[in-house]
Amino acid sequence: MPGRHVGSDGEHELQETLGTEERAERFYDDQVIDYLNPSMIEFVARMDMAFISTADAHGECDASFRAGTPGFLHVIDERTIAYPEYRGNGVMASLGNILENPHVGILMIDFVRDLIGLHVNGKARMVADSELRETVDDLPAAERGRSSQVWVVVEVEEAYIHCRKHIPQLVPVARDRREWGTDNVRAKGGDYFGVKAGKQPAPAAAKAS
């Protein structure tokens, strides 16, 4: 990527300290590009899940999971991808971070066939469904009758491989055997980690004697 600084200042500082500069430069030169090549576009099109990382203006981070039928991560062109945001728990953690800080990282992993991953880093913006459909003719239809609240459109700045070392091979379960898109609390996991059940009322303030 001529003329472009690849990697953070912290990366390069540690590479110098730990003597990995040559190995890192080889990876940057061989594997990091600022667009999606045809193989990456094909990979994104068949992914049914992704891990999304965001941070707010203070650098506080959040990692989230998104899933859908293959193609829900829509490649608009070699430098732009988009994915829909549906109604969730109302917290808006990822979108709230994007509102403050547009930098996002997306990790897609093929756990089933090729056992390989793809990182896509870039800048995101929120676009209303109706607005995006005016300019993107082949945008996927809403899943299971739901309408997306908004689309996250990501301008690709870095795209690179995640090696298959340690990626487990998984066997997918047919989607019709899962309650997709449900509001059933039990089906969604309920209070699996016991947080709600374990919360106790705050102790009353001690009375002055």
Side-chain angles (χ1 to χ4, degrees):
M1 300 164 63
R4 184 175 183 275
H5 178 71
V6 182
S8 68
D9 292 340
E11 284 180 40
H12 291 285
E13 181 179 340
L14 285 176
Q15 290 161 16
E16 183 177 357
T17 300
L18 300 176
T20 66
E21 293 169 289
E22 182 178 343
R23 185 152 42 101
E25 285 299 324
R26 189 162 57 248
F27 181 81
Y28 294 146
D29 291 342
D30 292 347
Q31 295 295 339
V32 183
I33 54 179
D34 60 357
Y35 63 95
L36 301 175
N37 67 21
S39 294
M40 292 174 174
I41 291 173
E42 184 276 332
F43 185 89
V44 174
R46 61 183 174 83
M47 289 298 98
D48 61 0
M49 68 177 75
F51 303 91
I52 312 291
S53 59
T54 59
D56 65 17
H58 305 288
E60 298 290 338
C61 299
D62 180 79
S64 195
F65 176 73
R66 296 292 183 271
T69 55
F72 87 99
L73 289 159
H74 183 68
V75 179
I76 295 176
D77 56 48
E78 65 179 10
R79 296 184 183 274
T80 318
I81 64 175
Y83 63 89
E85 284 282 2
Y86 294 106
R87 181 176 62 85
N89 57 17
V91 174
M92 305 291 181
S94 297
L95 294 181
N97 284 348
I98 290 171
L99 193 64
E100 297 184 27
N101 175 0
H103 297 285
V104 299
I106 303 174
L107 173 61
M108 293 157 273
I109 299 180
D110 176 358
F111 290 101
V112 178
R113 194 182 84 182
D114 296 330
L115 306 185
I116 205 74
L118 174 65
H119 292 266
V120 175
N121 299 329
K123 290 182 180 177
R125 68 185 191 277
M126 290 174 276
V127 181
D129 182 89
S130 58
E131 181 182 345
L132 193 60
R133 290 188 186 279
E134 290 180 359
T135 57
V136 182
D137 295 335
D138 59 344
L139 205 62
E143 287 197 41
R144 299 179 296 279
R146 299 181 302 161
S147 296
S148 60
Q149 293 187 313
V150 70
W151 285 78
V152 176
V153 179
V154 180
E155 176 187 343
V156 177
E157 295 183 333
E158 293 180 337
Y160 56 92
I161 192 172
H162 186 96
C163 74
R164 61 170 45 96
K165 186 178 182 182
H166 303 310
I167 294 178
Q169 186 163 24
L170 306 180
V171 178
V173 174
R175 291 175 70 88
D176 59 7
R177 293 176 59 187
R178 296 284 309 279
E179 294 190 63
W180 294 89
T182 180
D183 278 328
N184 181 287
V185 174
R186 183 179 180 86
K188 291 195 299 183
D191 191 27
Y192 180 88
F193 292 104
V195 176
K196 181 178 180 180
K199 284 190 172 181
Q200 301 295 328
K207 295 181 179 180
S209 56

